[in-house]
Amino acid sequence: MNQQSAHQVNRTIHDADSHISEYDGWIEGYASEYVRANLDEPFFRVENVPQLKPLIDQAHNRLAGNDPSMTESLKADIFGSEGKRNMIGAYGAVNNIERTDSLDIAGISKQLVFPGLVFVSRFARSKDEKVVWGGCDAMNRAMVDFCSSDSDRLQAVGYLSLRDPVKALQEAKKAIKMGIKAFWMTSDAVDGRAPSHIAYDPIWAVLQEAGVPITLHIGSGAKLTDDYRNTGVKRELAPESMNIETTSPKDLPVLHHSIERWLACMIYDGVLERFPKLKIGLVELGSNWLPACMSNLDIGAAELGRFDLGLRKLSLKPSEYMQRQVKATPLHFEDAGWVMRNVGKDMLMFNTDYPHPEGGKDPFGAFERSLDAVQATSEELDSFYSKNFEALLSLSLIAIPRSYS
């Protein structure tokens, strides 16, 4: 049930990870006829899983106003309701008015709103550049539209391809003008260019000036390749999974590998030195790995980079760039308190991953227990629940705390 956490009392809460649920070709509807006709196959099609049909029908029935008792049940337990597992039917998953109401119920002031993973799988790696840029435009317009009903609280996250640096700069300017508040990007090298290639500097300059951060999210980098899954033995999933698995157990321990390579490039090659106000959000990628990453970046520069003239130009230790410009969302089942003690108060952000079930049934309680275990101070809690979010999005005004309902 919706119960107020002790950490919520008289405190502003922002949510650094949430999603819309893509349904019935909603985002595809924003694309041109050419783009729709040439999209790649999605990694997952609802119609290929017949067991899902009753759940989809149930969701549409509720959204049509025909099941008020289900709506009240969802509202009564925003994060813990079993109905949340039906991600299309979850309260606020596809209806933006419901989404604002869900924030009021949960006691959340502002929320980063990401797209799902289905539509991006249809255009981001397309060999047809018209599809790539048309897909970016469609996704960005769809996300702005969803968040437009309450754009001060619902912060729209768009997608920016780096396939062509010149076109990417044009798309970034256009998307920022229409209302995109953060860009989800790939963490992999694109067409032989490092993430830190100087061809991208004009893009970073525009983002820095606009106060729009880069976000790397699960799906930004290549997951474990099929070679590592080929054991010679057929892998089986339990029947209740319906053979749906977007992220496997083998993926979780290595989610951050591509991210660490990206960070090494952006820091060692001077991007964060040249753009000191450019912010980076690492979202739904875990946080247990951050202390080791920061230590390894420092060791790499100090021990193996002594003769690298480029590294000599850096004015900070690599870990200090991380603390200054990088924010991250711990998973609710990680020990966020331990991570905070090892990276400092200025990096971690509260998040719910709503409406995805992976966000847990009690994100407030999970983070409260972890932070209380290390006796987090009031200042540290403020940083975790709101200040770091505000720094990521360059919010100049501090939000007024909203009463819990």
Side-chain angles (χ1 to χ4, degrees):
M1 303 301 288
N2 300 319
Q3 292 183 336
Q4 186 176 21
S5 153
H7 286 185
Q8 290 178 270
V9 177
N10 296 323
R11 177 169 283 119
T12 298
I13 308 290
H14 301 314
D15 181 2
D17 184 28
S18 77
H19 295 264
I20 53 96
S21 289
E22 299 175 26
Y23 69 102
D24 295 349
W26 173 64
I27 297 183
E28 284 85 344
Y30 285 83
S32 69
E33 184 176 344
Y34 177 87
V35 170
R36 289 197 301 272
N38 291 279
L39 289 167
D40 291 343
E41 276 296 302
F43 75 92
F44 167 72
R45 280 191 180 276
V46 170
E47 54 267 32
N48 292 341
V49 187
Q51 300 97 312
L52 286 177
K53 188 177 186 306
L55 296 177
I56 303 303
D57 290 345
Q58 179 190 59
H60 286 307
N61 188 52
R62 186 193 76 76
L63 290 164
N66 299 326
D67 194 350
S69 62
M70 173 61 77
T71 296
E72 290 307 310
S73 175
L74 290 167
K75 292 173 65 175
D77 195 359
I78 283 289
F79 299 115
S81 171
E82 286 301 316
K84 192 183 83 167
R85 296 192 66 82
N86 181 349
M87 287 189 288
I88 293 177
Y91 194 65
V94 301
N95 182 298
N96 52 11
I97 304 303
E98 285 189 351
R99 178 57 70 94
T100 291
D101 192 36
S102 76
L103 297 189
D104 290 336
I105 293 169
I108 292 170
S109 179
K110 296 180 186 290
Q111 186 177 65
L112 268 180
V113 184
F114 285 83
L117 297 176
V118 175
F119 184 68
V120 73
S121 74
R122 306 197 66 187
F123 75 84
R125 290 182 169 84
S126 173
K127 295 179 181 179
D128 186 335
E129 285 210 13
K130 289 184 179 179
V131 172
V132 171
W133 300 110
C136 282
D137 178 69
M139 176 166 279
N140 293 341
R141 286 189 293 112
M143 295 308 299
V144 168
D145 267 6
F146 181 88
C147 295
S148 64
S149 60
D150 195 356
S151 59
D152 179 58
R153 299 178 68 189
L154 302 177
Q155 307 283 299
V157 180
Y159 189 86
L160 185 65
S161 172
L162 297 176
R163 182 75 61 85
D164 179 327
V166 174
K167 290 181 179 177
L169 177 61
Q170 295 170 348
E171 181 64 31
K173 290 178 178 178
K174 180 174 67 175
I176 290 170
K177 187 175 182 179
M178 75 170 70
I180 287 294
K181 300 299 175 62
F183 283 111
W184 176 21
M185 298 185 191
T186 181
S187 53
D188 294 329
V190 179
D191 289 350
R193 293 184 299 273
S196 49
H197 197 284
I198 59 171
Y200 300 138
D201 274 12
I203 302 171
W204 311 145
V206 166
L207 268 57
Q208 176 176 257
E209 182 179 1
V212 171
I214 300 166
T215 61
L216 305 181
H217 191 281
I218 187 171
S220 282
K223 295 195 292 187
L224 203 68
T225 62
D226 289 342
D227 295 345
Y228 289 95
R229 304 180 196 278
N230 180 13
T231 64
V233 178
K234 182 180 179 181
R235 181 167 176 257
E236 294 184 273
L237 295 175
E240 58 267 26
S241 73
M242 294 184 283
N243 285 315
I244 300 171
E245 187 180 53
T246 56
T247 304
S248 77
K250 281 186 178 178
D251 289 316
L252 186 64
V254 298
L255 281 178
H256 60 282
H257 286 186
S258 174
I259 310 303
E260 289 191 88
R261 290 191 289 270
W262 187 91
L263 288 166
C265 290
M266 297 293 279
I267 294 172
Y268 283 3
D269 297 334
V271 175
L272 301 194
E273 173 77 20
R274 296 195 296 276
F275 302 98
K277 294 184 179 180
L278 179 66
K279 296 299 192 298
I280 296 157
L282 310 179
V283 181
E284 206 176 337
L285 295 162
S287 65
N288 282 340
W289 56 276
L290 284 171
C293 172
M294 294 165 70
S295 178
N296 289 336
L297 285 168
D298 286 346
I299 292 170
E303 300 300 326
L304 301 179
R306 285 176 290 175
F307 305 113
D308 187 318
L309 299 182
L311 285 174
R312 290 182 184 180
K313 296 177 183 178
L314 300 182
S315 60
L316 300 175
K317 292 169 59 178
S319 60
E320 292 172 341
Y321 289 104
M322 293 274 287
Q323 290 173 321
R324 184 178 74 180
Q325 290 171 255
V326 177
K327 314 299 176 187
T329 60
L331 301 171
H332 72 93
F333 42 77
E334 291 183 307
D335 190 345
W338 175 84
V339 177
M340 186 186 69
R341 281 284 167 263
N342 284 276
V343 303
K345 68 177 179 62
D346 296 325
M347 291 187 67
L348 299 188
M349 300 182 293
F350 172 78
N351 67 103
T352 67
D353 196 25
Y354 191 79
H356 293 176
E358 297 90 340
K361 295 183 177 182
D362 183 20
F364 279 107
F367 288 125
E368 180 173 313
R369 288 186 290 273
S370 178
L371 294 168
D372 281 352
V374 297
Q375 299 179 317
T377 65
S378 179
E379 181 183 13
E380 289 170 333
L381 294 178
D382 286 344
S383 294
F384 178 75
Y385 286 107
S386 63
K387 304 298 184 186
N388 293 340
F389 178 103
E390 291 165 3
L392 175 70
L393 291 167
S394 301
L395 301 178
S396 58
L397 297 177
I398 304 302
I400 298 172
R402 290 181 175 269
S403 60
Y404 188 90
S405 58

